Amino acid sequence: MNITPLLTYIAKYVNLTNAEEDFLTSRLTSRKYLKGQYILNQGDISKMQCFIISGCTKMFYLDDNGQEHIIMFSIEDWWTSDLGSFISQTPSDFNVQCLENTEIIEFSYDNIEEIFLEIPKLERFFRKVIEKAFVASQKRIIRNFSLTAKERYVIFRNNYPKIEQRIPQYMIASYLGITKEFLSKIKKQLILES
């Protein structure tokens, strides 16, 4: 199991001793998914928090009409799962699907408390990760209420240049809450303006 990217990520927030790294490694699992496979299905209970080693995923909600609403994309060094379902152990509102062959490291619900008891500083680490995700979610909500589709696309493109090249345009449009045709129009406008 290649845990180095996770340990590097954790080191941005807290320092682990070699013994703590060994204990953590003994409680984690690694899993590989093929493009198109689901890590989590809407309605299932999320039993894992997933750190992406390689690949790309999308988290989305499927409404009663079969319309897909993309909530987020995740790539290397990012997390994916339905945090609400994981914390409350209730059915998930979201699907998590792999857009590429994807390798993850899983923190299981059953092991997380044991990890926190053995390595208390990891509670601080997860608090920081969750705070960061919460702030990003709030900013996205504000942008959706206050900015035009063009402004939202420019922010997406600037904030996530590595993602845009890896996913189909219709998925970016879904994430922005617009049609793919409108996204094409916005992109043409931006080309003319530059």
Side-chain angles (χ1 to χ4, degrees):
M1 172 168 53
N2 178 15
I3 195 169
T4 304
L6 174 63
L7 294 176
T8 301
Y9 183 86
I10 290 172
K12 295 176 188 175
Y13 298 91
V14 296
N15 293 317
L16 299 180
T17 65
N18 289 340
E20 289 169 336
E21 287 181 4
D22 291 343
F23 179 83
L24 179 61
T25 302
S26 74
R27 297 305 186 270
L28 301 177
T29 54
S30 170
R31 188 156 175 199
K32 293 181 180 181
Y33 291 87
L34 298 175
K35 178 179 179 178
Q37 283 188 300
Y38 283 75
I39 294 173
L40 177 65
N41 289 293
Q42 195 168 321
D44 290 348
I45 295 173
S46 177
K47 298 288 187 188
M48 303 288 175
Q49 279 297 310
C50 306
F51 180 80
I52 299 179
I53 298 295
S54 64
C56 180
T57 66
K58 67 176 175 179
M59 181 170 29
F60 66 98
Y61 168 75
L62 199 61
D63 68 22
D64 293 338
N65 298 319
Q67 181 72 30
E68 185 177 288
H69 304 276
I70 297 177
I71 306 304
M72 67 181 266
F73 299 104
S74 297
I75 58 172
E76 294 81 9
D77 292 340
W78 290 22
W79 296 87
T80 191
S81 186
D82 179 348
L83 186 59
S85 173
F86 181 79
I87 291 170
S88 65
Q89 288 298 280
T90 56
S92 176
D93 293 320
F94 306 106
N95 297 287
V96 177
Q97 184 182 26
C98 297
L99 300 177
E100 300 172 350
N101 292 343
T102 301
E103 182 179 359
I104 61 169
I105 293 178
E106 299 173 324
F107 285 76
S108 78
Y109 183 81
D110 295 334
N111 284 346
I112 201 82
E113 287 303 319
E114 182 185 4
I115 291 169
F116 290 162
L117 287 172
E118 185 69 26
I119 314 170
K121 62 183 105 172
L122 284 180
E123 272 197 282
R124 180 179 185 277
F125 162 73
F126 273 105
R127 178 178 54 84
K128 291 292 192 184
V129 169
I130 291 169
E131 286 172 352
K132 188 176 172 184
F134 180 72
V135 169
S137 178
Q138 285 187 317
K139 285 184 178 182
R140 179 160 183 234
I141 291 168
I142 291 169
R143 285 194 296 263
N144 284 350
F145 287 139
S146 62
L147 299 179
T148 66
K150 180 180 172 183
E151 291 167 328
R152 292 194 314 269
Y153 170 67
V154 169
I155 289 170
F156 174 83
R157 186 179 65 183
N158 291 338
N159 287 348
Y160 310 112
K162 293 179 182 176
I163 294 177
E164 185 176 16
Q165 305 308 315
R166 295 168 70 171
I167 57 176
Q169 293 301 296
Y170 76 89
M171 289 185 189
I172 295 172
S174 172
Y175 175 82
L176 295 172
I178 59 176
T179 65
K180 63 182 178 181
E181 292 80 13
F182 193 54
L183 178 58
S184 291
K185 184 178 175 183
I186 289 170
K187 291 175 91 172
K188 286 177 187 171
Q189 283 179 335
L190 290 170
I191 290 169
L192 292 173
E193 291 172 6
S194 59

